[in-house]
Amino acid sequence: MTKGNGEDPKTGSRMERIQQGVRKRTLLAKKKVQSITKDDVKSYLLRNAFVLFTVVAVILGVILGFSLRSYKMSYREVKYFSFPGELLMRMLQMLVLPLIVSSLVTGIAALDSKASGKMGVRAVIYYMSTTIIAVLIGIIIVVIIHPGKGTKENMHREGKIVQVTAADAFLDLIRNMFPPNLVEACFKQFKTNYEKRMFKVDIPSNDTSTVASIISNVSEAMETLTRMKEEIVPVAGSVNGVNALGLVVFSISFGLVIGSMKEQGQALKDFFDSLNEAIMRLVALIMWYAPLGILFLIAGKIVEMEDMGVIGGQLAMYTVTVIIGLLIHAVIVLPLLYFVITRKNPWVFIGGLIQALVTALGTSSSSATLPVTFKCLEEINGVDKRVTRFVLPVGATINMDGTALYEALAAIFIAQVNNFDLNFGQIITISITATAASIGAAGIPQAGLVTMVIVLTSVGLPTDDITLIIAVDWFLDRLRTTTNVLGDSIGAGIVEHLSRHELKNKDAEMGNSVIEENEMKKPYQLISQENESEKPLDSETKM
């Protein structure tokens, strides 16, 4: 290439280098493909059998669900059909309680108070940052797309909403952090109920008028002196479900105390460590049943859902808006955050989480998915057990990125269908209450609908209009749960990276006494600290 031909030699040489690079990579790829043997394919399929079975189960569940809709099954028949899926939910929920307690106690006890304090601060900063980002994404997307254009008169309503005040909901959150009975906390949560009561209101009397009225009519005088007033008052109540927040607070406190007891607390450390190991072995057994359970969970939900005709233009646009918001957060924001902080490929990390994400999609519960998330992070992604044991149970309880995004977006959508113009102050109020309400949302299916009442009340929107979005909530709930699980898992990876120096120092001091176990005897593979020590220390700035 010459200048006489009107071409820049630098451009030409650059193009040649690019072409040579492409040719080299093509040849390498061709050689790799040609060198693949049957044994390689078999070993790959065996390594990823669980993930492949789970993905296939989701696809078959969708096909089976839509195929059976034409048979118009009764409610009883749908319940019988969904039974295998219900069994999976029950199995996973059975393990959640001992897993949260044992993992948090061992995770905190394995670190000194300084290291666990730093790790806790990093985790909380991550949780708050990602939740605020999710809320902002939800607000921006719903304002730009404006799915609530029009009127709500023709929209389909479904279900009933339980009223709750923001102050009582906040106080309930604090009350649940300190359960008076640990046994009761395993199956009940405190919740403020409301009931009507009659109160006697004394009317201040006027001497002259009272004397005159008594003379004329005694009964009329009594009516003016006392009147009855009806008032709705908060009373103590409870709802069924594990009080995860109370158990998390107790387990963290208990773990800190055991860690400070040194040799005296070793017996308790060993007990909870063994309990955690036993639970993870049970998880490994349940994983064989998980694909079948997920298949029937998804198929049963599709068969059960209402006629798709009720989803009008506004509700369809609302659904699309929520999906776009969740995709931006899950596919762009979280991987970018992971890459910026760790300088590692986020898609390799996310690839190891496929089974947990699919389980979250099927079960619609971040708490029920917790055992699978542990397994994926520790076995496939090799995250330090001391980090996962601390970060995951706390994250599954308070870190709800998908729920926060959905609540902010849904509140503004309801304002739009009511032709209610929100000012900047009200949008800020929605963002703050959505962040706070997502922390209080339990890791159970459709818990976000309950906390939505708080968000709507904060800006004076009608809470009854939540019934407008219930028709599609079962589907969106699965997507936001998947986003929640992804956020928790990426958080564990980021916190491990930022805490790597403390973890290595602790290993040097303690001689790996906490994680040192006989790997040859245990099918559930623990993290190899030897491999960890071989990794070169990065020079990134510590948080």
Side-chain angles (χ1 to χ4, degrees):
M1 290 185 189
T2 61
K3 288 182 181 179
N5 294 336
E7 293 180 6
D8 187 356
K10 288 183 180 178
T11 308
S13 61
R14 193 181 298 127
M15 284 299 295
E16 282 176 6
R17 284 200 301 272
I18 292 169
Q19 286 171 356
Q20 284 173 0
V22 170
R23 282 194 210 102
K24 279 182 182 177
R25 290 191 180 187
T26 307
L27 286 169
L28 282 170
K30 196 174 179 181
K31 283 178 183 176
K32 280 184 180 179
V33 170
Q34 287 172 346
S35 63
I36 292 172
T37 62
K38 284 184 179 180
D39 292 333
D40 293 332
V41 175
K42 278 182 184 178
S43 64
Y44 175 81
L45 291 174
L46 284 170
R47 275 199 319 272
N48 298 280
F50 279 135
V51 176
L52 293 170
F53 284 148
T54 311
V55 172
V56 169
V58 171
I59 296 165
L60 289 176
V62 172
I63 294 167
L64 184 62
F66 279 109
S67 303
L68 292 174
R69 277 181 66 80
S70 58
Y71 289 95
K72 306 290 182 188
M73 294 166 75
S74 67
Y75 182 76
R76 181 186 288 271
E77 288 169 339
V78 170
K79 279 293 170 192
Y80 289 158
F81 176 73
S82 305
F83 182 69
E86 185 189 340
L87 274 184
L88 175 66
M89 283 293 289
R90 295 174 79 90
M91 287 177 189
L92 291 171
Q93 287 168 344
M94 171 183 70
L95 301 179
V96 167
L97 177 64
L99 187 61
I100 286 176
V101 175
S102 63
S103 60
L104 267 175
V105 170
T106 49
I108 297 291
L111 300 161
D112 54 37
S113 56
K114 190 178 177 183
S116 58
K118 282 184 179 180
M119 197 183 290
V121 168
R122 287 165 185 150
V124 169
I125 290 171
Y126 169 80
Y127 295 152
M128 292 306 297
S129 304
T130 52
T131 305
I132 290 166
I133 290 168
V135 168
L136 292 175
I137 290 170
I139 290 170
I140 292 164
I141 290 293
V142 74
V143 168
I144 292 171
I145 297 176
H146 208 285
K149 187 185 284 185
T151 177
K152 65 178 180 180
E153 301 305 320
N154 299 324
M155 289 182 72
H156 172 76
R157 288 182 182 272
E158 198 174 294
K160 289 182 180 178
I161 296 301
V162 178
Q163 298 298 327
V164 62
T165 65
D168 287 330
F170 180 68
L171 291 174
D172 285 353
L173 186 66
I174 297 171
R175 288 186 187 110
N176 280 321
M177 287 172 72
F178 306 99
N181 187 329
L182 276 176
V183 176
E184 191 181 50
C186 298
F187 57 88
K188 272 189 180 179
Q189 298 179 34
F190 184 94
K191 184 181 183 296
T192 299
N193 293 329
Y194 301 93
E195 63 179 41
K196 291 180 182 179
R197 286 187 185 173
M198 301 297 288
F199 291 95
K200 189 194 289 185
V201 181
D202 293 327
I203 309 293
S205 59
N206 186 333
D207 289 341
T208 56
S209 62
T210 306
V211 171
S213 61
I214 289 171
I215 294 167
S216 62
N217 193 331
V218 175
S219 61
E220 189 179 321
M222 292 299 292
E223 192 179 336
T224 57
L225 286 169
T226 57
R227 287 181 185 171
M228 299 301 290
K229 181 186 175 186
E230 186 181 79
E231 192 176 333
I232 296 173
V233 294
V235 292
S238 61
V239 289
N240 291 330
V242 176
N243 179 6
L245 197 59
L247 293 172
V248 162
V249 170
F250 170 77
S251 301
I252 289 173
S253 308
F254 197 56
L256 284 170
V257 171
I258 291 174
S260 65
M261 287 169 69
K262 307 294 182 188
E263 288 79 14
Q264 284 180 302
Q266 193 59 44
L268 276 172
K269 271 188 197 177
D270 293 340
F271 167 75
F272 282 106
D273 208 29
S274 299
L275 178 61
N276 187 263
E277 182 66 34
I279 296 299
M280 292 312 296
R281 291 195 189 193
L282 282 173
V283 172
L285 290 173
I286 290 171
M287 284 303 95
W288 288 103
Y289 178 72
L292 184 68
I294 288 169
L295 188 154
F296 282 97
L297 269 175
I298 291 174
K301 200 66 199 179
I302 291 172
V303 171
E304 187 186 348
M305 72 181 180
E306 295 288 324
D307 182 22
M308 298 298 283
V310 301
I311 301 175
Q314 287 164 296
L315 202 54
M317 279 303 295
Y318 162 75
T319 307
V320 170
T321 308
V322 174
I323 292 170
I324 291 170
L326 291 173
L327 279 174
I328 289 171
H329 189 72
V331 177
I332 298 172
V333 174
L334 291 176
L336 188 64
L337 203 61
Y338 180 83
F339 173 73
V340 168
I341 294 171
T342 65
R343 299 292 175 186
K344 294 174 186 172
N345 186 346
W347 300 109
V348 174
F349 187 86
I350 293 169
L353 299 168
I354 288 174
Q355 196 171 8
L357 299 178
V358 173
T359 306
L361 189 71
T363 61
S364 186
S365 169
S366 51
S367 292
T369 311
L370 195 57
V372 190
T373 314
F374 266 106
K375 200 166 184 299
C376 289
L377 278 175
E378 293 176 3
E379 287 193 0
I380 301 171
N381 286 344
V383 178
D384 195 305
K385 284 181 76 174
R386 291 167 293 184
V387 177
T388 57
R389 285 172 175 181
F390 174 70
V391 174
L392 284 184
V394 177
T397 310
I398 66 170
N399 184 38
M400 304 278 179
D401 296 350
T403 305
L405 185 149
Y406 150 82
E407 287 183 350
L409 195 154
I412 296 175
F413 170 74
I414 288 170
Q416 289 172 354
V417 297
N418 283 285
N419 294 316
F420 188 92
D421 291 327
L422 296 167
N423 58 39
F424 183 72
Q426 288 170 319
I427 289 175
I428 293 294
T429 304
I430 285 173
S431 63
I432 293 168
T433 50
T435 304
S438 70
I439 295 168
I444 54 174
Q446 297 188 319
L449 281 178
V450 180
T451 51
M452 264 300 297
V453 176
I454 303 166
V455 182
L456 294 179
T457 308
S458 68
V459 287
L461 288 167
T463 53
D464 288 341
D465 283 356
I466 295 175
T467 55
L468 297 172
I469 59 175
I470 288 178
V472 293
D473 190 71
W474 71 270
F475 172 65
L476 296 177
D477 188 34
R478 281 164 159 69
L479 298 182
R480 62 179 184 260
T481 300
T482 308
T483 307
N484 293 341
V485 170
L486 179 63
D488 295 343
S489 305
I490 284 181
I494 288 173
V495 170
E496 186 205 30
H497 177 78
L498 295 171
S499 305
R500 64 196 183 282
H501 298 297
E502 286 89 352
L503 294 170
K504 285 180 184 294
N505 292 340
K506 186 71 179 173
D507 288 343
E509 290 168 17
M510 303 295 289
N512 290 351
S513 62
V514 177
I515 302 179
E516 199 174 72
E517 293 181 36
N518 190 347
E519 291 181 6
M520 298 300 289
K521 293 180 183 178
K522 299 196 174 183
Y524 171 65
Q525 200 69 26
L526 296 176
I527 290 158
S528 172
Q529 293 298 308
E530 290 78 19
N531 291 346
E532 192 68 31
S533 62
E534 286 170 13
K535 292 179 188 175
L537 275 174
D538 294 353
S539 58
E540 283 94 331
T541 309
K542 282 202 294 176
M543 195 167 167

